[in-house]
Amino acid sequence: MKVVALILVASLLGWSVYAQETQSTGSNDEWQMDEWGDWEEQEQQSVLPVTGFFDVAVGQRFSSDPAISGNKTLRDLRVQVQWEKLFDASSLHFTSDLYYDGVKDNVEIQVRELAWQGRLSALDSWGDNLDVKVGQQVLTWGTGDYLFLNDLFPKDWQSFFSGRDDEYLKAPSLSAKVSGYFDWGNVDVVVTPRFAPDNYINGEVFSFFNPMAQSNVAPEFVVSDDNRPEGAEVALRYYRSVDTTDIALYGYRGYHKSPNATDEFGRPRFTRLNVYGASAISPFGSGLAKVEYAFHDSMDDSDGSNPLVPNSQSRFLVGYEHELVANLTGSVQWYLEHNHDHSSLLNASPWPQYESEQNRHVVTTQLMYRALRQTLTLNWFNFYSPTDSDGYMRFRATYKPVDEWSVSGGLNWFYGDESHTFFNQFEDASNAYMAFRYYY
Amino acid sequence: MKTLVTGALLTLAANFPAVADVNLDELVQQAERAAYYAGEDGRSQARMMIVDGQGRKQMRQFTILRKDVEDNGDQKMLVFFDRPTDVKDTVFRVEKHALLDQDDDRWLYLPALDLVKRISAGDKRTSFVGSHFFYEDVSGRAIAEDSFSLQQETDTQYVLRAEPKKPDTVEFAYYDVSIDKATSLPVLINFYKASGEHYRQVEAVQIETIQGYPTVVRSKVTDLASGGYTLMEFRGAEYDLGLPDDLFSERSLRTPPRQWLN
């Protein structure tokens, strides 16, 4: 891995063609910082500007996947446009991606944000304590790194696996968020009127294990309308700081975010899910310690005996993050998924050998290194499950020596012993990618 | 927001034998207050130009809000980034703790993910947002970290030498700081290795008096080894705005308090 990183770095350094003539000494002229014009101009621009980037990304499988023709995992030609309009007490935000996806050979538009945000002071004095954000938006909460216990907002796992920037792991949803800030704590209420599922792995770019076929399949399935709920999702969070500890309570009423259930014809479907949880994060020693719990109540299978519907789960997370030496931060997380009513599940299952363990443990380790005045970032992240004997290693290097462009490259590596386990089913999805981004 | 930059320099020690009739302890505390604690609170726009050893340039533009819990003590800070594009709307929140054994609390808001991320305490002598300034140059190095001695006194300046009490936690062996008698501001700091190599310099380039507080509005840090440097300039600094305590909270990360930013 080190070798890969070094080669990558070396090739990146070779790209620096931006060297400028001479080095000045902070003469008076230099203080004009001409590249950015004067300050007043900036202020005007901040009302109307369109900013964003162009991005080219290419990724390839390490070995072919028998279930999928073609080894391309990422072929993006993308432009992102950001615009915002500020009013007296509120603002309008727009962020949209237009991209050609060369793997699917599609042109796609993803509106990541089109939302109005403001304070409700106009209503009455109690409105001073309330902020509202309504529209298409990306939402995140919880304490886990790449592990989600109480964050039931939509994720885009296809983007995550293919090496798109981390921002794309979070998919937008059309939601209304009301945030209240009070002496006794803060409350967020998020209503998503129409269920927004994850962009789950469905065989379009990456195949997955199917117990009936006893091998990986890539059906590119779409969940039929009658198996896709149209109801609302409601997510709640209460949080506050107690001394230097940030604590939170969570609630969710909605659906499993991936179609993990099947109907009587074997077609995928979404089923009901309620979630209750809590978290705390606090300085500890010279680092940060965190703990999070969530009970995933699978409402359509409350006793766990229906093999077509996922069982209820308890999810635990304990983590610690700490700077090992200057610019190198390490973190470790231990995560447990406990399947309730596991024996009922096994008794009722047509393929008990492929069902998940009663307790699935995952340990993640991360090393993040920033070098060259933070222009070079190396990020290594590994999931390892001792109970499934499988894992998923991610590595990414990003070099951004100037404001205008950055180049990055990385790996997604799935490994394990058995073909059906959570991570190792994606063994043939293992890939490497590179991306170049130009900011305007 | 004199505050930000120059200050790093200062540091003082409590138990100094007074040299001549100069009370070093008081001198350093006064310099720390002048550099980092002007007014009860403050706001300023800031921009930096970062020039690396090869002459490549980067810019940062941001707005800072600061409120003192007490002079020479704890502070609350918010930094709202405007530019460049990839950090626009990113917000950095710090609860600075003056006690040596208590780390600062830090949070970062990443708008693309709508994520408020708590950040673990880090080495304070690493780059602040990619510049040649260290985090500690911006937030202030606690004066209790170093021992001070008077090197020289001129008509206009005191020159103090500061030696770290815990040398293994910093990259310098000592530094010399020149404190301007008229303003109490540190105006030049030179950092040295044990070999005597002078490798880093922080200087106040321009000082203006704002609402009666002498304020460093232009400062420069130079990495003498690579030739790289960063210029920092403050605009529109104002003090004693009456910033409310609850401004320094998660709410301001997600919904920037625009009435206090312009």
Side-chain angles (χ1 to χ4, degrees), chain A residues 16 23-25 30 36 39 42-43 87 117 128 131 138 140 244 246 321 323 373-374 403, chain B residues 45 47 56 59 83 86 88 107 113-114 118 120 123 127 130 220 227 229 235 251 254-255 258:
Chain A
S16 1
Q23 195 178 308
S24 72
T25 52
E30 194 170 24
W36 274 14
W39 293 57
Q42 294 313 319
E43 280 159 22
F87 305 104
Q117 181 176 35
D128 287 344
D131 290 348
V138 171
T140 301
T244 59
D246 296 334
E321 173 187 314
E323 189 177 69
R373 248 183 322 96
Q374 303 176 359
D403 295 330
Chain B
Q45 290 186 292
R47 62 180 179 179
R56 291 180 298 194
M59 307 290 278
R83 304 186 86 185
D86 63 323
K88 182 172 157 39
W107 296 260
L113 293 165
D114 182 47
R118 186 104 184 222
S120 59
D123 188 323
S127 168
K220 178 180 182 182
Y229 60 94
R235 282 273 176 104
R251 183 181 198 179
R254 293 177 187 273
T255 313
R258 293 216 319 278

Side-chain angles (χ1 to χ4, degrees), chain B residues 102-163:
Chain B
Q102 186 177 7
D103 289 315
D104 295 353
D105 292 306
R106 305 196 258 183
W107 296 260
L108 191 64
Y109 176 65
L110 301 170
L113 293 165
D114 182 47
L115 173 65
V116 175
K117 186 168 173 53
R118 186 104 184 222
I119 305 174
S120 59
D123 188 323
K124 292 180 179 176
R125 300 196 62 78
T126 56
S127 168
F128 175 69
V129 296
S131 74
H132 296 86
F133 286 102
F134 291 156
Y135 175 80
E136 192 170 73
D137 295 326
V138 178
S139 70
R141 175 171 173 83
I143 53 181
E145 299 265 19
D146 303 312
S147 302
F148 292 84
S149 56
L150 182 65
Q151 293 292 106
Q152 195 189 346
E153 179 178 352
T154 68
D155 288 349
T156 57
Q157 294 185 337
Y158 296 105
V159 180
L160 307 187
R161 172 154 302 176
E163 293 172 275

